[in-house]
Amino acid sequence: MTAPVRVLVCDDQALIRTGFTTIIDAQPDLEAVGECGDGRAAVDLARRLRPDVVVMDVRMPVLDGIEATRLLAGAGVAHPVKVLVVTTFNLDEYVYEALRAGASGFLLKDAPPAQLMQGIRTVATGAALLAPEVTRQLVGKYAARIRPAEDTPDEDALTPRELEVLRLIAAGLSNSEIAATLMISHETVKTYVSRILTKLGLRDRVQAVVYAYRRGLVT
């Protein structure tokens, strides 16, 4: 049997923490290994427990979630931890700062529990996650600051189908949604995504979204 994904929950509201840990522990493939209410404790616990994913709030006392994320997953961190930022604040600047700090994903707290659980699973696999409702705002305003304009191959390197998949990624669709839209298998979509990232020299789906917007492939 595959070991469950180990999750650390960090939020300054006890009720939110309890809710998240209860939902996580109810999943057969997930396990809440700890919880805390401020950013400094989040950093200390994550370094000690080495969870697979840290669910991180933005606004917390002592040390905010963005800075905690930077200490756990930012540039230069020897053993980065995967961080999923979950917040009530749908603000472009928070999304940008969270991803710049090294977060692997960003979701809103009013997302359905199933979406949160799937977000944890997605981030645990090493993939990046952006809630569809924040994708356009993020990229439209901050794309130029996330990745330099130069040093990326031209999209002509992609096949027409790969270009189609890239546009759907940029629209915020998940692999399953892309598969349903194009009427192809989930595994085929994963293959296309991998090829796109390799051909364009991109790290993850977040960079693919940024690339698509900056190249004018979506508006």
Side-chain angles (χ1 to χ4, degrees):
M1 294 179 62
T2 303
V5 174
R6 303 171 70 253
V7 185
L8 173 64
V9 176
C10 306
D11 194 291
D12 64 339
Q13 298 182 53
L15 189 59
I16 296 291
R17 293 199 307 272
T18 299
F20 280 180
T21 55
T22 299
I23 295 170
I24 289 168
D25 280 336
Q27 310 302 307
D29 60 334
L30 305 177
E31 176 190 5
V33 295
E35 61 176 78
C36 59
D38 68 74
R40 172 51 59 190
V43 172
D44 293 341
L45 267 180
R47 287 173 174 171
R48 179 163 58 86
L49 298 175
R50 303 303 303 174
D52 298 304
V53 177
V54 176
V55 174
M56 184 82 74
D57 188 22
V58 170
R59 290 188 173 180
M60 291 190 294
V62 185
L63 192 69
D64 67 50
I66 301 299
E67 185 57 31
T69 297
R70 187 172 289 111
L71 292 173
L72 291 174
V77 175
H79 302 288
V81 178
K82 298 181 180 70
V83 178
L84 174 61
V85 172
V86 182
T87 181
T88 55
F89 302 99
N90 182 9
L91 299 178
D92 295 346
E93 187 70 22
Y94 281 144
V95 185
Y96 164 69
E97 291 294 346
L99 297 174
R100 185 166 174 257
S104 295
F106 188 100
L107 281 177
L108 300 179
K109 284 184 182 175
D110 60 4
Q115 188 176 347
L116 172 61
M117 298 304 103
Q118 191 54 45
I120 292 171
R121 296 182 183 104
T122 298
V123 169
T125 65
L129 174 75
L130 276 181
E133 60 267 34
V134 302
T135 300
R136 287 184 183 275
Q137 303 96 296
L138 163 71
V139 180
K141 193 169 183 179
Y142 296 105
R145 296 166 61 185
I146 296 176
R147 185 175 176 86
E150 49 281 336
D151 300 329
T152 52
D154 194 87
E155 62 270 14
D156 290 344
L158 303 180
T159 66
R161 182 60 111 181
E162 289 166 350
L163 196 57
E164 191 174 12
V165 171
L166 176 58
R167 288 193 173 102
L168 294 175
I169 292 172
L173 274 66
S174 67
N175 283 1
S176 297
E177 291 167 334
I178 294 173
T181 299
L182 299 181
M183 292 184 289
I184 57 180
S185 72
H186 187 271
E187 288 302 315
T188 299
V189 174
K190 289 175 64 177
T191 298
Y192 279 129
V193 172
S194 178
R195 287 177 183 170
I196 291 166
L197 298 181
T198 299
K199 287 184 177 182
L200 299 181
L202 304 174
R203 183 190 65 209
D204 52 37
R205 293 173 75 96
V206 172
Q207 290 193 348
V209 171
V210 172
Y211 178 96
Y213 274 86
R214 298 211 52 211
R215 294 283 180 166
L217 301 179
V218 287
T219 57

